[in-house]
Amino acid sequence: MDKFDAMRIFVEVAEANSFVAASRKLDLSAPAVTRAIARLEKVLGVQLFNRTTRHIRLTDTGARFFDDAKRILEDLEQAEAMANGSYIQPKGELTITAPVLFGQMHITPILTEYLQANPAVTANALFFDRISNLIDEGMDIAIRIGPLKDSSLYATRVGHVQRIVCASPEYLKEYGTPEHPSELTDHRIIQATTVEPSTSWRFSSPKGKVSVKVTPRMNCCQNGAAICAASHGFGITRLMSYQVGEELKAGVLQRILKDFEMDPLPVNIVYLGGQKANAKIRSFIDLAVERLRANPFIDH
Amino acid sequence: MDKFDAMRIFVEVAEANSFVAASRKLDLSAPAVTRAIARLEKVLGVQLFNRTTRHIRLTDTGARFFDDAKRILEDLEQAEAMANGSYIQPKGELTITAPVLFGQMHITPILTEYLQANPAVTANALFFDRISNLIDEGMDIAIRIGPLKDSSLYATRVGHVQRIVCASPEYLKEYGTPEHPSELTDHRIIQATTVEPSTSWRFSSPKGKVSVKVTPRMNCCQNGAAICAASHGFGITRLMSYQVGEELKAGVLQRILKDFEMDPLPVNIVYLGGQKANAKIRSFIDLAVERLRANPFIDH
DNA sequence: ACTATCTATTACATATTTTGAAATTATCTA
DNA sequence: TAGATAATTTCAAAATATGTAATAGATAGT
């Protein structure tokens, strides 16, 4: 028996929710379908369908295997097409995660471009500021900012960003521009909790590390709110450089204490299994690397 | 031909760089190997190996297909292992949220049982009475009481509970047992704010909905305090049926106005991404569903 | 309650494919 | 040039797959 054929039959049956319907669609006899499924179940040692003589229904494991089978068949189809040189469009579901603002600002445009070019792919963009487990949560690709820990993953570095301190020119004009981190204690501070959860802001200088305890007048659990408040001249905040690229360029915000910034944080595209990633994932990564490397708000 | 077998043979041949060596390793005859590869090449319409009668060497497309084939076979192996359940040993961190009292009374015992059975899992139980976003807060599983809104989540219904009105027999003896919601205005009311945040208590009767404005003598933001106060005969309170199962059974509290109770509220176990739910999550859900369905304080 | 109908499954004879031993061909090494 | 060995082909036996027809079970409509 060809296992892949059996899987194709299985997928068809599961979608049609009927053996006969699937047999008609696949141009097979009904017994052929029954037998294919029966064998698959025997090989797996698991019931895939609950059946009566008139109805069938996927079991829980069946439903899980259905997803797997579908993905694997798609993957196989791609691989075969690749081998014989006939290009076929990637299809299926692509799940990607990134920090909230990074995702919104820098990944979304890439993703829409990718989706436009690959109409058969549906995307799942999960932007949040906590680190998730790629495998557990079924992610295909993650954007990570900062040093990497999990070494079982493959990563491509696309540049680096920095924690920067900034305020609006109006604010600085009125209250003065700090020349040393220690002066921050006298200023109105806007705290973006996702960037810098602690109220000790750490800096580095030629003379070594400096830690300054700030007392925020405003706490934002949303970075966007901190940007907004700082732009309106309320005070000084600390953010990621990629979050305020536009504002810095437009002069709405001004970068200060540049000489005391900590080491830059790498930006990585992280994914499972190196060259083993399939066409869908590889093609997205290729595009993303290219676009992110060309992104003026990410340093290289 | 079984394409799956053919691919396995192909991978083996490519790794051994020899047909005979692969045949020995796979316990097959040499012709079987030759034929399998020949067929695979025919199906793909592509040369996979350059061969002389004495040597073989992967072609470029062969090398690429080798990577793909290996990945697909691994993926399939995983999927099969997943299906027949042989691989799963849950491990990692499991984060679960539930309403405070529901968690304390009904989830904690299940969780401890689960942790005992799965020593490699650590749990994070977050019990609070506000609804949190599963994704944002990194929850794996949530227990939700009431109708579900977020349809992007998967849910398994385990039963239903009700808002019930109750008081101690002593109190009822002294002050009388209300026969209609409207009589509540004359009674001492203990308000459990998390169950019924408004002071309008809504009921349903054969004649339609009834809303009664109560004036609580005591406001509890902790359900446990309301239970305690009612048990001591202070007054009438309104709680969830699962919160006072023991008290009702022991006769410490007595359920009143039963004919005017609103429709029952479903109890659901909610989790992300069905097929992607991993062993850790699935196994907990399996256990929790079983235990909760057997729970006498939850109706079915 | 009964029957017609449709679905899944089994039985069985037939057709197809797969198999390995042996023979063949080609290349490398000594 | 001969000997050795790898890949391939040949061929008959064995294994497998297939479709038709028959069976069994469930449902819907009368």
Side-chain angles (χ1 to χ4, degrees), chain A residues 99-154:
Chain A
V100 176
L101 275 187
F102 194 91
Q104 275 174 31
M105 299 167 74
H106 304 306
I107 296 300
T108 309
I110 298 170
L111 195 54
T112 53
E113 181 183 352
Y114 177 83
L115 290 176
Q116 217 114 42
N118 299 284
V121 177
T122 57
N124 228 332
L126 302 176
F127 299 149
F128 39 63
D129 287 326
R130 67 181 170 81
I131 286 185
S132 65
N133 184 314
L134 238 60
I135 303 165
D136 279 2
E137 312 205 5
M139 303 289 176
D140 295 313
I141 299 169
I143 308 293
R144 292 278 161 81
I145 292 169
L148 295 173
K149 282 171 196 155
D150 191 335
S151 56
S152 74
L153 302 171
Y154 288 74

Side-chain angles (χ1 to χ4, degrees), chain A residues 20 78-79 82 117 140 149 167-168 188 195 197 253 269 276:
Chain A
V20 220
Q78 289 270 340
M82 207 84 128
D140 295 313
K149 282 171 196 155
S168 75
R188 275 215 301 267
V195 172
L253 287 176
I269 300 184
K276 288 197 226 141

Side-chain angles (χ1 to χ4, degrees), chain A residues 65 68 84 143 155 166 179 204 216 220 230 275 287 289-290:
Chain A
F65 189 68
D68 290 336
N84 74 21
I143 308 293
C166 55
E179 300 294 335
S204 93
C220 302
Q275 78 284 79
L287 179 70
V289 167
E290 192 179 326

Side-chain angles (χ1 to χ4, degrees), chain B residues 81-93:
Chain B
M82 205 89 133
N84 73 23
S86 63
Y87 112 111
I88 29 169
Q89 216 252 323
K91 64 176 178 200
E93 194 180 16

Side-chain angles (χ1 to χ4, degrees), chain A residues 9-29:
Chain A
I9 294 172
F10 166 69
V11 167
E12 198 59 56
V13 171
E15 279 175 347
N17 230 295
S18 154
F19 281 43
V20 220
S23 78
R24 273 196 291 269
K25 196 155 177 201
L26 293 167
D27 209 19
L28 287 170
S29 67

Side-chain angles (χ1 to χ4, degrees), chain B residues 266-285:
Chain B
V267 178
N268 284 288
I269 301 184
V270 172
Y271 53 100
L272 289 165
Q275 75 279 26
K276 284 174 204 147
N278 56 28
K280 177 180 73 185
I281 296 173
R282 277 203 313 271
S283 57
F284 180 83
I285 290 173

